[in-house]
Amino acid sequence: MEKLFIKGLVRKVVILSKAKDLVVIYFTLFILILSLTSNCGFYSFKSTTAATTFKTIAIPLFDNQTQEYGIREILTDSISNRFIRDNSLKITSESQAETILRGTITKYERAVYTFDKTEIVKEYIVRIYVKVALENVKAKKNEWEQDNLLGWGVYNVTLTPPETEELGKAKAIAKLAEDIVNKTVKSW
């Protein structure tokens, strides 16, 4: 009887050791897969973007063809701050820059975006259109240009307290700044 008991224990130990081996194998595979996929986040392809080709950029005040007072200063500051945060191009004066980012705000509009069940306006959208180009000073040509780059921001007037058009404008400007910096320094 003791022999049967010992044989049973030996079988359980063998089964447990096989199960532990499987757990170790699965855990090792999991860690391997996890490390392979997480390392992909740090890998990037070399590209010939403005950030790798150039070191400096000037950002003169954008022109404003709209009736929105002060928007050109806010947009230009926002783009400059975004480049500073990105840290891939140094902002300098036009006389010392290798590239110059020139732009014109061509259109500003606020429109109804959504209604509630009773057809009362719930959200508005602010759309800001710009014409923008990155000029290569040395080659005297544009590295890129876009005539109707759109930045937009939605704000909800039914919240307490209600959001304002200024918030929608800020969101639209932030989106424009992000898109312009990305277009300038990142190429996929």
Side-chain angles (χ1 to χ4, degrees):
M1 184 124 153
E2 285 181 13
K3 286 185 180 183
L4 285 175
F5 179 74
I6 293 173
K7 269 187 169 179
L9 280 177
V10 169
R11 276 191 202 147
K12 287 180 182 177
V13 168
V14 168
I15 290 170
L16 282 175
S17 69
K18 287 181 180 178
K20 284 183 181 179
D21 289 344
L22 283 175
V23 168
V24 168
I25 289 170
Y26 285 132
F27 182 75
T28 304
L29 284 173
F30 173 75
I31 295 297
L32 180 65
I33 290 169
L34 184 65
S35 66
L36 287 174
T37 57
S38 66
N39 285 339
C40 291
F42 297 107
Y43 184 80
S44 66
F45 295 98
K46 287 271 186 190
S47 63
T48 55
T49 62
T52 58
T53 308
F54 306 106
K55 293 186 178 15
T56 59
I57 187 169
I59 308 170
L61 198 58
F62 273 41
D63 292 329
N64 183 12
Q65 296 177 347
T66 73
Q67 298 298 313
E68 282 301 306
Y69 177 77
I71 194 169
R72 68 191 220 143
E73 293 84 3
I74 297 168
L75 177 59
T76 306
D77 287 347
S78 181
I79 294 168
S80 296
N81 290 335
R82 192 73 186 199
F83 271 107
I84 290 167
R85 227 178 342 163
D86 183 72
N87 199 31
S88 53
L89 292 170
K90 181 182 174 194
I91 298 177
T92 187
S93 66
E94 285 187 58
S95 61
Q96 297 177 338
E98 297 169 296
T99 57
I100 300 174
L101 184 71
R102 298 190 190 279
T104 303
I105 303 163
T106 58
K107 187 176 182 182
Y108 178 95
E109 65 182 19
R110 180 188 76 143
V112 173
Y113 190 63
T114 61
F115 295 93
D116 67 9
K117 294 177 203 167
T118 60
E119 295 190 22
I120 294 175
V121 174
K122 183 177 178 182
E123 295 175 313
Y124 287 92
I125 186 169
V126 171
R127 293 183 186 100
I128 303 171
Y129 295 88
V130 297
K131 179 180 180 179
V132 63
L134 181 69
E135 177 189 339
N136 179 336
V137 174
K138 194 174 195 177
K140 295 185 180 172
K141 67 172 188 138
N142 287 338
E143 291 294 316
W144 68 266
E145 59 186 306
Q146 191 162 342
D147 285 339
N148 271 323
L149 186 61
L150 169 64
W152 54 271
V154 176
Y155 63 99
N156 189 326
V157 294
T158 61
L159 296 176
T160 306
E163 296 176 339
T164 65
E165 185 174 347
E166 288 302 312
L167 177 63
K169 186 192 307 185
K171 289 179 181 179
I173 287 171
K175 179 160 180 21
L176 276 171
E178 179 181 5
D179 290 348
I180 289 169
V181 170
N182 285 342
K183 191 165 183 65
T184 302
V185 303
K186 296 174 177 72
S187 175
W188 303 106

